[in-house]
Amino acid sequence: AQSVAQPEDQVNVAEGNPLTVKCTYSVSGNPYLFWYVQYPNRGLQFLLKYITGDNLVKGSYGFEAEFNKSQTSFHLKKPSALVSDSALYFCAVRGNSGGYQKVTFGTGTKLQVIP
Amino acid sequence: KAGVTQTPRYLIKTRGQQVTLSCSPISGHRSVSWYQQTPGQGLQFLFEYFSETQRNKGNFPGRFSGRQFSNSRSEMNVSTLELGDSALYLCASSAWTLDTQYFGPGTRLTVL
């Protein structure tokens, strides 16, 4: 069965510092990987995705993610955090399970950027 | 372009009743997926409809069903409601099956 692990429930980072939100996955076949963000009282928003190609994927709001096949990881990164980046971040993987495709989300990581 | 809309935004039902939730996708999107979000289980995939056919499904019981109309609007039905069905139900649309998904604001279902 496919799965996604986000090992940190919360990540605290000072404004202006680089941030990393970790994600590891398990899936049969080639992974399709996504990052979504959920701001308070707002819906889930797409940040970026990896399907194939360059291991470094760039997305919205200055975020990027690094795909590492050997470590089955897809960590989200940003060089300089903003207070407005504070939100709940979800990693997701699309893969085959029991003859169907499905999307499995991680449990989410709350990012707190401290001014 | 208008985003994904879901109606109603809030619902209160009692155990044993059934409920129907509605989702209108982004214009031109043919794929509509449904998710259940709870504090304990997180975001769980229910099923996906594409061009009026259920294309993919998660691991939910048959009490959870859905359909999609020719204009891509989708409905989800939950029969014989249980207390554990209380959750935020999210709908997402995408141009292709389970590709980049655009989420609606959700329907908050409370089962008493």
Side-chain angles (χ1 to χ4, degrees), chain B residues 13-32:
Chain B
K13 293 286 187 179
T14 56
R15 278 182 299 173
Q17 287 187 309
Q18 75 167 16
V19 66
T20 299
L21 313 182
S22 181
C23 172
S24 292
I26 291 172
S27 178
H29 283 187
R30 295 162 65 189
S31 168
V32 174

PDB file of all heavy atoms in Angstrom, chain B residues 13-32:
ATOM      1  N   LYS B  13     -26.763  16.639  10.496  1.00  0.00           N
ATOM      2  CA  LYS B  13     -27.671  15.521  10.291  1.00  0.00           C
ATOM      3  C   LYS B  13     -27.658  14.635  11.531  1.00  0.00           C
ATOM      4  O   LYS B  13     -26.789  14.773  12.398  1.00  0.00           O
ATOM      5  CB  LYS B  13     -27.236  14.701   9.066  1.00  0.00           C
ATOM      6  CG  LYS B  13     -27.375  15.432   7.741  1.00  0.00           C
ATOM      7  CD  LYS B  13     -28.816  15.529   7.319  1.00  0.00           C
ATOM      8  CE  LYS B  13     -28.951  16.104   5.936  1.00  0.00           C
ATOM      9  NZ  LYS B  13     -30.374  16.180   5.507  1.00  0.00           N
ATOM     10  N   THR B  14     -28.590  13.721  11.596  1.00  0.00           N
ATOM     11  CA  THR B  14     -28.612  12.759  12.693  1.00  0.00           C
ATOM     12  C   THR B  14     -28.263  11.373  12.160  1.00  0.00           C
ATOM     13  O   THR B  14     -28.382  11.103  10.941  1.00  0.00           O
ATOM     14  CB  THR B  14     -29.978  12.731  13.387  1.00  0.00           C
ATOM     15  OG1 THR B  14     -30.979  12.447  12.419  1.00  0.00           O
ATOM     16  CG2 THR B  14     -30.269  14.069  14.057  1.00  0.00           C
ATOM     17  N   ARG B  15     -27.855  10.518  13.051  1.00  0.00           N
ATOM     18  CA  ARG B  15     -27.466   9.155  12.682  1.00  0.00           C
ATOM     19  C   ARG B  15     -28.592   8.472  11.916  1.00  0.00           C
ATOM     20  O   ARG B  15     -29.768   8.609  12.255  1.00  0.00           O
ATOM     21  CB  ARG B  15     -27.141   8.348  13.925  1.00  0.00           C
ATOM     22  CG  ARG B  15     -25.750   8.567  14.459  1.00  0.00           C
ATOM     23  CD  ARG B  15     -25.498   7.701  15.668  1.00  0.00           C
ATOM     24  NE  ARG B  15     -26.420   8.014  16.766  1.00  0.00           N
ATOM     25  CZ  ARG B  15     -26.511   7.327  17.883  1.00  0.00           C
ATOM     26  NH1 ARG B  15     -25.752   6.262  18.067  1.00  0.00           N
ATOM     27  NH2 ARG B  15     -27.360   7.678  18.819  1.00  0.00           N
ATOM     28  N   GLY B  16     -28.230   7.722  10.903  1.00  0.00           N
ATOM     29  CA  GLY B  16     -29.207   6.992  10.125  1.00  0.00           C
ATOM     30  C   GLY B  16     -29.727   7.744   8.915  1.00  0.00           C
ATOM     31  O   GLY B  16     -30.262   7.122   7.983  1.00  0.00           O
ATOM     32  N   GLN B  17     -29.590   9.042   8.922  1.00  0.00           N
ATOM     33  CA  GLN B  17     -30.055   9.824   7.767  1.00  0.00           C
ATOM     34  C   GLN B  17     -29.065   9.685   6.609  1.00  0.00           C
ATOM     35  O   GLN B  17     -27.995   9.087   6.747  1.00  0.00           O
ATOM     36  CB  GLN B  17     -30.195  11.300   8.148  1.00  0.00           C
ATOM     37  CG  GLN B  17     -31.372  11.608   9.032  1.00  0.00           C
ATOM     38  CD  GLN B  17     -31.553  13.110   9.231  1.00  0.00           C
ATOM     39  OE1 GLN B  17     -30.608  13.842   9.582  1.00  0.00           O
ATOM     40  NE2 GLN B  17     -32.770  13.594   9.002  1.00  0.00           N
ATOM     41  N   GLN B  18     -29.451  10.229   5.477  1.00  0.00           N
ATOM     42  CA  GLN B  18     -28.526  10.283   4.352  1.00  0.00           C
ATOM     43  C   GLN B  18     -28.312  11.731   3.958  1.00  0.00           C
ATOM     44  O   GLN B  18     -29.085  12.617   4.323  1.00  0.00           O
ATOM     45  CB  GLN B  18     -29.042   9.466   3.167  1.00  0.00           C
ATOM     46  CG  GLN B  18     -30.160  10.095   2.383  1.00  0.00           C
ATOM     47  CD  GLN B  18     -30.387   9.381   1.055  1.00  0.00           C
ATOM     48  OE1 GLN B  18     -29.931   8.265   0.821  1.00  0.00           O
ATOM     49  NE2 GLN B  18     -31.095  10.040   0.152  1.00  0.00           N
ATOM     50  N   VAL B  19     -27.232  11.975   3.223  1.00  0.00           N
ATOM     51  CA  VAL B  19     -26.889  13.343   2.858  1.00  0.00           C
ATOM     52  C   VAL B  19     -26.299  13.356   1.454  1.00  0.00           C
ATOM     53  O   VAL B  19     -25.649  12.389   1.027  1.00  0.00           O
ATOM     54  CB  VAL B  19     -25.889  13.935   3.880  1.00  0.00           C
ATOM     55  CG1 VAL B  19     -24.546  13.213   3.819  1.00  0.00           C
ATOM     56  CG2 VAL B  19     -25.707  15.427   3.669  1.00  0.00           C
ATOM     57  N   THR B  20     -26.545  14.440   0.754  1.00  0.00           N
ATOM     58  CA  THR B  20     -25.973  14.637  -0.583  1.00  0.00           C
ATOM     59  C   THR B  20     -25.221  15.950  -0.621  1.00  0.00           C
ATOM     60  O   THR B  20     -25.771  16.991  -0.249  1.00  0.00           O
ATOM     61  CB  THR B  20     -27.068  14.632  -1.664  1.00  0.00           C
ATOM     62  OG1 THR B  20     -27.739  13.372  -1.646  1.00  0.00           O
ATOM     63  CG2 THR B  20     -26.452  14.854  -3.039  1.00  0.00           C
ATOM     64  N   LEU B  21     -23.984  15.887  -1.047  1.00  0.00           N
ATOM     65  CA  LEU B  21     -23.144  17.069  -1.176  1.00  0.00           C
ATOM     66  C   LEU B  21     -22.892  17.331  -2.657  1.00  0.00           C
ATOM     67  O   LEU B  21     -22.801  16.393  -3.451  1.00  0.00           O
ATOM     68  CB  LEU B  21     -21.798  16.859  -0.468  1.00  0.00           C
ATOM     69  CG  LEU B  21     -21.826  16.266   0.940  1.00  0.00           C
ATOM     70  CD1 LEU B  21     -20.419  16.168   1.500  1.00  0.00           C
ATOM     71  CD2 LEU B  21     -22.715  17.082   1.840  1.00  0.00           C
ATOM     72  N   SER B  22     -22.730  18.601  -2.999  1.00  0.00           N
ATOM     73  CA  SER B  22     -22.565  18.957  -4.394  1.00  0.00           C
ATOM     74  C   SER B  22     -21.259  19.692  -4.635  1.00  0.00           C
ATOM     75  O   SER B  22     -20.777  20.427  -3.765  1.00  0.00           O
ATOM     76  CB  SER B  22     -23.740  19.834  -4.839  1.00  0.00           C
ATOM     77  OG  SER B  22     -23.627  20.179  -6.199  1.00  0.00           O
ATOM     78  N   CYS B  23     -20.706  19.496  -5.817  1.00  0.00           N
ATOM     79  CA  CYS B  23     -19.438  20.116  -6.189  1.00  0.00           C
ATOM     80  C   CYS B  23     -19.486  20.548  -7.646  1.00  0.00           C
ATOM     81  O   CYS B  23     -19.817  19.744  -8.527  1.00  0.00           O
ATOM     82  CB  CYS B  23     -18.302  19.124  -5.982  1.00  0.00           C
ATOM     83  SG  CYS B  23     -16.694  19.658  -6.617  1.00  0.00           S
ATOM     84  N   SER B  24     -19.131  21.807  -7.889  1.00  0.00           N
ATOM     85  CA  SER B  24     -19.007  22.294  -9.266  1.00  0.00           C
ATOM     86  C   SER B  24     -17.538  22.567  -9.552  1.00  0.00           C
ATOM     87  O   SER B  24     -16.925  23.398  -8.873  1.00  0.00           O
ATOM     88  CB  SER B  24     -19.828  23.571  -9.458  1.00  0.00           C
ATOM     89  OG  SER B  24     -21.208  23.289  -9.366  1.00  0.00           O
ATOM     90  N   PRO B  25     -16.972  21.869 -10.529  1.00  0.00           N
ATOM     91  CA  PRO B  25     -15.537  22.014 -10.786  1.00  0.00           C
ATOM     92  C   PRO B  25     -15.221  23.277 -11.579  1.00  0.00           C
ATOM     93  O   PRO B  25     -16.118  23.975 -12.045  1.00  0.00           O
ATOM     94  CB  PRO B  25     -15.216  20.770 -11.613  1.00  0.00           C
ATOM     95  CG  PRO B  25     -16.484  20.497 -12.358  1.00  0.00           C
ATOM     96  CD  PRO B  25     -17.591  20.883 -11.419  1.00  0.00           C
ATOM     97  N   ILE B  26     -13.957  23.528 -11.728  1.00  0.00           N
ATOM     98  CA  ILE B  26     -13.493  24.614 -12.584  1.00  0.00           C
ATOM     99  C   ILE B  26     -13.908  24.298 -14.023  1.00  0.00           C
ATOM    100  O   ILE B  26     -13.826  23.138 -14.458  1.00  0.00           O
ATOM    101  CB  ILE B  26     -11.969  24.776 -12.479  1.00  0.00           C
ATOM    102  CG1 ILE B  26     -11.604  25.319 -11.097  1.00  0.00           C
ATOM    103  CG2 ILE B  26     -11.404  25.661 -13.573  1.00  0.00           C
ATOM    104  CD1 ILE B  26     -10.123  25.336 -10.804  1.00  0.00           C
ATOM    105  N   SER B  27     -14.342  25.313 -14.718  1.00  0.00           N
ATOM    106  CA  SER B  27     -14.788  25.124 -16.091  1.00  0.00           C
ATOM    107  C   SER B  27     -13.701  24.455 -16.935  1.00  0.00           C
ATOM    108  O   SER B  27     -12.537  24.879 -16.927  1.00  0.00           O
ATOM    109  CB  SER B  27     -15.152  26.490 -16.693  1.00  0.00           C
ATOM    110  OG  SER B  27     -15.535  26.355 -18.034  1.00  0.00           O
ATOM    111  N   GLY B  28     -14.090  23.394 -17.632  1.00  0.00           N
ATOM    112  CA  GLY B  28     -13.144  22.680 -18.480  1.00  0.00           C
ATOM    113  C   GLY B  28     -12.495  21.479 -17.807  1.00  0.00           C
ATOM    114  O   GLY B  28     -11.904  20.632 -18.487  1.00  0.00           O
ATOM    115  N   HIS B  29     -12.599  21.408 -16.495  1.00  0.00           N
ATOM    116  CA  HIS B  29     -12.040  20.258 -15.786  1.00  0.00           C
ATOM    117  C   HIS B  29     -13.013  19.088 -15.848  1.00  0.00           C
ATOM    118  O   HIS B  29     -14.203  19.239 -15.558  1.00  0.00           O
ATOM    119  CB  HIS B  29     -11.753  20.613 -14.324  1.00  0.00           C
ATOM    120  CG  HIS B  29     -10.520  21.434 -14.155  1.00  0.00           C
ATOM    121  ND1 HIS B  29     -10.003  21.742 -12.909  1.00  0.00           N
ATOM    122  CD2 HIS B  29      -9.694  22.017 -15.062  1.00  0.00           C
ATOM    123  CE1 HIS B  29      -8.904  22.474 -13.067  1.00  0.00           C
ATOM    124  NE2 HIS B  29      -8.711  22.666 -14.365  1.00  0.00           N
ATOM    125  N   ARG B  30     -12.498  17.919 -16.174  1.00  0.00           N
ATOM    126  CA  ARG B  30     -13.345  16.742 -16.310  1.00  0.00           C
ATOM    127  C   ARG B  30     -13.214  15.782 -15.141  1.00  0.00           C
ATOM    128  O   ARG B  30     -13.983  14.845 -15.011  1.00  0.00           O
ATOM    129  CB  ARG B  30     -12.996  16.025 -17.614  1.00  0.00           C
ATOM    130  CG  ARG B  30     -13.322  16.876 -18.844  1.00  0.00           C
ATOM    131  CD  ARG B  30     -12.592  16.371 -20.074  1.00  0.00           C
ATOM    132  NE  ARG B  30     -13.044  15.042 -20.461  1.00  0.00           N
ATOM    133  CZ  ARG B  30     -12.444  14.299 -21.407  1.00  0.00           C
ATOM    134  NH1 ARG B  30     -11.377  14.758 -22.014  1.00  0.00           N
ATOM    135  NH2 ARG B  30     -12.915  13.108 -21.721  1.00  0.00           N
ATOM    136  N   SER B  31     -12.209  15.989 -14.309  1.00  0.00           N
ATOM    137  CA  SER B  31     -11.981  15.091 -13.178  1.00  0.00           C
ATOM    138  C   SER B  31     -12.425  15.758 -11.891  1.00  0.00           C
ATOM    139  O   SER B  31     -12.068  16.907 -11.615  1.00  0.00           O
ATOM    140  CB  SER B  31     -10.499  14.735 -13.093  1.00  0.00           C
ATOM    141  OG  SER B  31     -10.213  14.085 -11.860  1.00  0.00           O
ATOM    142  N   VAL B  32     -13.225  15.040 -11.115  1.00  0.00           N
ATOM    143  CA  VAL B  32     -13.646  15.516  -9.802  1.00  0.00           C
ATOM    144  C   VAL B  32     -13.348  14.417  -8.784  1.00  0.00           C
ATOM    145  O   VAL B  32     -13.767  13.270  -8.959  1.00  0.00           O
ATOM    146  CB  VAL B  32     -15.146  15.867  -9.772  1.00  0.00           C
ATOM    147  CG1 VAL B  32     -15.566  16.227  -8.347  1.00  0.00           C
ATOM    148  CG2 VAL B  32     -15.441  17.029 -10.718  1.00  0.00           C
TER     149      VAL B  32
END
